[in-house]
Amino acid sequence: MEETILTVKNLNKTFGKKQILHDVSFECQRGRIVGLIGANGAGKTTIMKAILSLIKSDGQIKIAGQTSSFNSHQALQKVGALVEYPGIYPYLSGRDHLRLFVADTSNQKERVQEIIDELKLNEYVDQKAKLYSLGMKQKLGIAMALVNQPELVILDEPMNGLDPQATKDLRELILNYKNQGMTVLISSHILGELQKLAEDLIVIDHGRVIKKTTMTQLLANNQHFVVLKTNDNQKARELLEIVGFEISATSPLRIVLTEENTVERIMSILMKQQITINDVQHEDADLEESILKLIAD
């Protein structure tokens, strides 16, 4: 049976007269990567801040079975986090930051060097942080979140400012830690990256949980398309729309497939009208399309 490491129950948060979170409830299982998804302003960062006791909120939060709140948060010793921007001191080096963060001082030097190697920080880690680019600061913030090998790590937009190679390296590192039993709660507006990482999904809209599912289940319910190139796309589109096909793009033609509206039916209609099909490709909707459809519904 899977072990629950994080329980969020009936979480509510109000700023002034405006309620931001409405009875948010979900769980994270140990050793899973959980994606927190929603539009800007949906409440993702507020949820993460509430879990980390950075803001006061109403509701119950348990980490590894231990209740955590704004006034009592010993359970957070098991948690690493990067939320919004890393808290960096401009006149300290990256290495100094990591030394400050390491809980196990007996193994400090080795652990600091290990995380420096894992995140490929060696080139600039001994420079003062005020000289760092946005991407360098981001990587240092991630290193600070991971240096104590926490049971749960909370990452808010961790790919911000990272180049494609650094993004790929981070993805592989997160998967490696996950395989060692770490739980990761991650939000990212780069849904293509989240699709490669997250196993479980919590979809937030206007401060409410609208869906709890797995990546596999969500993508299995996706729309399927066929992408066509013909010798007369305009005529092909008109013919297919007349008989009830939904066209989601026109150059090339991207046609929604259903049980009735199949590839065979498309071929039959177009061939009867002597339209030449030059190329056919199958395509599935990605995570972004699935989420947008979910929120719209």
Side-chain angles (χ1 to χ4, degrees):
M1 187 178 169
E2 289 185 324
E3 181 190 346
T4 301
I5 188 164
L6 173 66
T7 302
V8 176
K9 195 171 181 184
N10 301 125
L11 193 65
N12 288 282
K13 176 62 186 173
T14 304
F15 289 113
K17 291 181 179 178
K18 188 175 182 185
Q19 190 165 351
I20 305 298
L21 301 180
H22 304 262
D23 286 323
V24 169
S25 298
F26 62 88
E27 293 182 344
C28 297
Q29 308 305 320
R30 190 177 290 279
R32 303 280 289 180
I33 299 175
V34 183
L36 196 59
I37 299 180
N40 288 342
K44 305 184 298 295
T45 300
T46 306
I47 291 167
M48 290 178 159
K49 285 182 173 179
I51 293 167
L52 294 166
S53 296
L54 297 173
I55 56 172
K56 284 185 176 180
S57 59
D58 297 317
Q60 188 182 57
I61 294 161
K62 282 189 175 181
I63 297 166
Q66 190 177 356
T67 299
S68 183
S69 68
F70 187 77
N71 297 315
S72 175
H73 42 75
Q74 291 85 351
L76 292 175
Q77 290 172 357
K78 301 168 182 149
V79 182
L82 172 62
V83 175
E84 289 189 326
Y85 306 102
I88 287 174
Y89 301 99
Y91 290 97
L92 290 181
S93 71
R95 193 182 298 274
D96 290 336
H97 281 84
L98 293 166
R99 284 177 182 149
L100 282 173
F101 265 75
V102 172
D104 181 6
T105 51
S106 66
N107 192 36
Q108 184 197 65
K109 193 174 178 183
E110 293 83 353
R111 179 57 194 149
V112 166
Q113 189 56 50
E114 188 178 17
I115 197 74
I116 288 169
D117 292 340
E118 285 176 342
L119 275 154
K120 302 180 181 175
L121 307 177
N122 282 288
E123 207 174 296
Y124 53 85
V125 75
D126 293 306
Q127 296 176 16
K128 286 180 180 176
K130 68 174 185 172
L131 302 171
Y132 287 13
S133 68
L134 174 63
M136 290 174 181
K137 288 177 182 174
Q138 191 73 358
K139 285 173 81 172
L140 177 57
I142 293 160
M144 286 154 63
L146 295 173
V147 70
N148 287 315
Q149 295 170 298
E151 294 178 43
L152 169 67
V153 66
I154 295 174
L155 300 173
D156 184 22
E157 301 288 353
M159 282 85 176
N160 265 3
L162 299 187
D163 62 37
Q165 184 59 52
T167 299
K168 181 175 181 286
D169 292 343
L170 176 58
R171 182 171 72 241
E172 289 171 357
L173 185 61
I174 290 171
L175 289 167
N176 185 39
Y177 274 111
K178 178 258 175 193
N179 291 334
Q180 295 171 39
M182 185 183 283
T183 306
V184 182
L185 179 64
I186 181 171
S187 82
S188 178
H189 68 277
I190 308 168
L191 294 182
E193 277 305 316
L194 214 52
Q195 188 170 335
K196 296 170 189 169
L197 274 171
E199 300 161 282
D200 303 318
L201 295 174
I202 299 147
V203 184
I204 309 290
D205 188 38
H206 292 91
R208 290 182 170 84
V209 176
I210 60 167
K211 187 80 172 177
K212 289 180 267 193
T213 185
T214 66
M215 185 68 76
T216 306
Q217 286 172 332
L218 187 64
L219 295 178
N221 294 330
N222 263 350
Q223 283 187 311
H224 304 285
F225 304 89
V226 65
V227 180
L228 291 185
K229 290 178 183 173
T230 74
N231 65 338
D232 190 343
N233 281 1
Q234 180 62 34
K235 188 179 177 186
R237 177 187 178 177
E238 289 168 2
L239 286 167
L240 292 170
E241 284 184 332
I242 286 167
V243 294
F245 280 87
E246 183 186 339
I247 313 291
S248 70
T250 55
S251 185
L253 287 174
R254 191 169 185 250
I255 304 153
V256 179
L257 296 177
T258 64
E259 282 185 28
E260 299 80 28
N261 290 341
T262 60
V263 177
E264 289 76 17
R265 188 171 175 226
I266 292 168
M267 298 297 188
S268 173
I269 290 165
L270 297 185
M271 286 166 72
K272 279 178 186 171
Q273 297 298 320
Q274 297 180 334
I275 290 174
T276 306
I277 297 163
N278 299 321
D279 188 42
V280 182
Q281 291 180 5
H282 282 267
E283 195 177 286
D284 291 322
D286 60 12
L287 178 61
E288 184 173 13
E289 286 178 274
S290 301
I291 297 299
L292 289 171
K293 184 174 184 294
L294 197 62
I295 290 170
D297 290 345

